[in-house]
């Protein structure tokens, strides 16, 4: 499918032939990430946690996109690992493991360590991440119903970041 789309774009003089591989890769990433999101919402629907998932993604995606984190060796492994981790997160949320104030405070401390680590690296996006983080902390402090999603996103982002730094 992706090859057909880029071939049509070339045929209609929208992209150049030499850019085909770049567009093929971009289309693959777009379709793969869309498939992962659909799977997440499928899991969250069956666990009756759509709202949690939406809020989780609002907290999780900005940091993941800017900072990055661990990447599996293949898309298949990535899909299996991420959906398994997400299912565990949904189950933990179902058991109210992310709701206590102590878990919130511990996750903030982990997040501060995470931010200090990325701030010490030469990241051109560190100020953006810092501003987003402060906004997230203020929002979750004002609205405690958002804390479970925030805590889950902090823990997942921090773990993936540290795994990527220390397993390579």
């Amino acid at each position: 499918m992706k090859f057909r789309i880029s071939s049509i774009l070339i045929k209609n003089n929208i992209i150049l032939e030499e850019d085909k591989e770049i567009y093929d890769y971009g289309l693959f990433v777009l379709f793969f990430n869309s498939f992962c999101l659909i799977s997440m919402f499928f899991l969250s629907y069956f666990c009756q946690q759509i709202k949690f998932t939406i809020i989780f993604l609002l907290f999780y995606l900005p940091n993941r996109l800017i900072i990055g984190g661990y990447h599996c060796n293949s898309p298949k492994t990535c899909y299996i690992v991420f959906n398994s981790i997400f299912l565990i997160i949904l189950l933990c949320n179902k058991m109210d493991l992310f709701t206590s104030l102590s878990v919130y405070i511990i996750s903030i401390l982990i997040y501060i360590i995470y931010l200090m680590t990325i701030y010490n690296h030469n990241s051109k996006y560190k100020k953006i991440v810092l501003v987003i983080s402060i906004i997230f902390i203020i929002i979750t402090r004002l609205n405690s119903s958002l804390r479970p999603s925030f805590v889950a996103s902090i823990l997942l982002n921090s773990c993936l970041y540290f795994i990527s730094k220390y397993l390579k």
Side-chain angles (χ1 to χ4, degrees):
M1 180 180 194
K2 65 180 179 177
F3 302 111
R4 183 179 168 126
I5 293 172
S6 57
S7 296
I8 291 169
L9 293 172
I10 291 168
K11 184 179 174 183
N12 292 322
N13 293 321
I14 296 172
I15 65 169
L16 300 172
E17 177 74 39
E18 57 261 20
D19 294 336
K20 185 180 186 313
E21 284 185 35
I22 295 168
Y23 281 89
D24 285 344
Y25 176 75
L27 289 167
F28 172 77
V29 169
L30 175 69
F31 290 125
F32 179 75
N33 288 338
S34 298
F35 184 64
C36 288
L37 282 172
I38 290 167
S39 296
M40 286 179 70
F41 281 108
F42 182 75
L43 288 171
S44 66
Y45 174 77
F46 283 104
C47 292
Q48 299 175 342
Q49 296 190 52
I50 296 284
K51 180 182 175 188
F52 172 84
T53 300
I54 292 169
I55 296 167
F56 170 83
L57 287 171
L58 289 174
F59 289 131
Y60 173 77
L61 288 176
N63 275 324
R64 177 69 177 175
L65 291 172
I66 292 171
I67 301 303
Y70 180 74
H71 292 280
C72 296
N73 292 331
S74 74
K76 180 181 174 183
T77 306
C78 175
Y79 179 78
I80 292 168
V81 168
F82 185 77
N83 280 291
S84 300
I85 291 171
F86 186 68
L87 184 59
I88 292 168
I89 287 171
L90 290 175
L91 295 174
C92 288
N93 187 55
K94 197 83 161 163
M95 294 185 293
D96 291 329
L97 296 179
F98 299 133
T99 56
S100 78
L101 187 58
S102 59
V103 172
Y104 178 69
I105 291 169
I106 290 169
S107 65
I108 294 292
L109 293 174
I110 291 170
Y111 201 54
I112 289 169
I113 294 168
Y114 165 70
L115 291 174
M116 287 170 41
T117 304
I118 62 148
Y119 203 79
N120 288 332
H121 286 84
N122 191 14
S123 170
K124 60 183 175 181
Y125 301 111
K126 56 189 170 188
K127 289 180 184 172
I128 296 170
V129 172
L130 192 59
V131 170
I132 289 171
S133 302
I134 291 169
I135 291 169
F136 286 171
I137 291 169
I138 291 169
I139 289 171
T140 56
R141 186 71 187 119
L142 297 174
N143 187 343
S144 61
S145 69
L146 301 177
R147 283 186 194 156
S149 298
F150 179 64
V151 168
S153 72
I154 285 174
L155 296 175
L156 184 56
N157 267 323
S158 301
C159 289
L160 291 175
Y161 178 76
F162 288 123
I163 288 170
S164 74
K165 291 298 172 198
Y166 298 108
L167 284 184
K168 287 186 177 183

